[in-house]
DNA sequence: GGAAGGGTTGAACGCTCATTCAAATATCGG
DNA sequence: CCGATATTTGAATGAGCGTTCAACCCTTCC
């Protein structure tokens, strides 16, 4: 018995579509792909969802609602220091890159660039997923308190961490080489080190 | 008379396809789209190109061969300082974002994420385009000489500049707001400022 | 046991897609 | 001006797409 078989139809579709959209992209995933993977028939899918795009919306809502349990909690297990948590999260992406033979792509980032004329509902969900990701980083930065310069724009830096992840993932996949991701993270680490030094200097003066 | 009409068939196709792939993506651009824009018939296209993917290859070669004239030269006009050139290039992207009502996407980056199972030839061309872009930045970093720390990994930093651009463009487009790009560039500027300070400190000691 | 209705079946539909090709036309060397 | 070669025409093809729907199954409740 497949592990999906106890789940309800809607959930089975969302899980299958999540994997397929991630692996092949939205446009390259056909409804038939989703049906064959879930062993369902067209009517069942269209009984639950008005159309293919509504499946995408459900997938993006799933990412949005599961970021804590599915991404942050696993990445931060046993890591307490707020700044190390940031790099632990990046390390989790590194792990996913390696695990997929350097073909990993951030599902949100890939969809954001693939869907050129995205429906407003879809675009807003992509944006919310980015916001939640960066928001989690921003909370780490706030927790770091005085270790970082007081005047530092914490929101900007949290977005910059997201940028580092997305850019690193993009290059690692294009070159099929994690080293590109690693060098990006190393540059970000350098950035943090310099910020920490700057803040420590200010602290010492006061 | 359309400005394209004096050009040969192959060039007309490549130029039209370049625009369409950029605006709609590769998969969402049909051969019929290219034909209607060039006012050609299917047979003409297939006389020049074996198939749609070969048009993509030609487009990527066009980007590869034109980076100096079409991207770097315009961006660096009147800018001599090597570090300012880096930010002048980023500013050119900012301009394109604004010009497209915050819908701009880097053609290479978008294709890199859209094409999940890209043909090796295509992937290599995407990688070469990235390499050339980062290579141009790396030359700026080398020109900056002792202004940057001696031990700095210039290749890593040039890739980090690319990361900043790609991540900023991705977020600006998703949120339909240049401010996301601006904050990314500001963070990178901060990074450079700290590197310059670090190098200046080392210089003073010697 | 039977009516009701949520859920499923899977063939069929209309459309778009990339691609083909025989025929027509343009170009050019001799 | 002719013949050969290069290029263009545009209808046709078959595969795949998202979606529909009448018929059917199965649970639930009286």
């Amino acid at each position: 018995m497949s592990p999906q078989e106890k789940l309800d139809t809607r959930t089975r579709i969302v899980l299958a579509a999540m994997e397929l959209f991630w692996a092949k992209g939205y446009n390259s995933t056909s409804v038939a792909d989703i049906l064959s993977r879930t062993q369902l028939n067209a009517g069942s899918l269209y009984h639950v969802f008005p159309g293919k795009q509504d499946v995408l919306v459900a997938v993006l809502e799933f990412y949005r609602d599961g970021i804590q349990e599915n991404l942050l909690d696993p990445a931060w297990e046993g890591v307490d220091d707020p700044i190390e948590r940031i790099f632990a999260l990046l390390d989790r992406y590194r792990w996913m890159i390696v695990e997929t033979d350097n073909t990993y792509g951030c599902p949100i980032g890939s969809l954001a660039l693939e869907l050129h004329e995205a429906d407003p509902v879809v675009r807003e969900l992509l944006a919310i997923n980015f916001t939640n990701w960066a928001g989690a980083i921003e909370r780490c930065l706030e927790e770091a308190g005085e270790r970082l310069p007081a005047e530092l724009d914490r929101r900007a830096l949290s977005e910059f961490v997201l940028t580092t992840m997305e850019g690193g993932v993009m290059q690692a996949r294009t070159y099929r080489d994690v080293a590109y991701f690693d060098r990006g993270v190393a540059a970000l680490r350098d950035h943090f080190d310099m910020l920490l030094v700057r803040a420590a200097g200010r602290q010492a003066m006061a």
Side-chain angles (χ1 to χ4, degrees), chain A residues 10 14-15 17-18 21 48-50 53-70 107-108 111 119-130 132:
Chain A
R10 194 191 140 91
V14 170
L15 290 177
M18 188 166 43
F21 292 163
V48 178
F49 294 103
Q53 187 183 269
D54 301 272
V55 177
L56 173 61
V57 167
V59 166
L60 291 173
E61 286 170 344
F62 193 94
Y63 279 121
R64 176 196 64 190
D65 299 338
I67 182 177
Q68 191 71 42
E69 299 151 86
N70 303 329
I108 310 302
L111 288 168
D119 185 282
V121 176
V122 171
R123 221 195 57 234
E124 209 131 305
L125 274 165
L126 292 168
I128 283 172
N129 272 285
F130 277 159
N132 290 348

Side-chain angles (χ1 to χ4, degrees), chain A residues 116-192:
Chain A
H116 288 239
E117 283 162 2
D119 185 282
V121 176
V122 171
R123 221 195 57 234
E124 209 131 305
L125 274 165
L126 292 168
I128 283 172
N129 272 285
F130 277 159
T131 300
N132 290 348
W133 201 100
I137 300 296
E138 197 178 350
R139 263 175 276 123
C140 290
L141 296 176
E142 276 157 11
E143 254 189 83
E146 299 173 333
R147 291 165 61 193
L148 290 166
E151 81 284 2
L152 178 82
D153 183 342
R154 274 137 173 92
R155 181 186 175 185
L157 185 55
S158 72
E159 288 165 7
F160 197 55
V161 175
L162 174 57
T163 283
T164 302
M165 183 276 282
E166 292 289 358
V169 161
M170 182 191 286
Q171 289 175 65
R173 188 161 85 132
T174 304
Y175 289 102
R176 296 285 138 96
D177 184 352
V178 228
Y180 287 82
F181 183 82
D182 291 337
R183 285 193 289 270
V185 173
L188 185 71
R189 174 68 84 173
D190 210 23
H191 189 70
F192 269 85

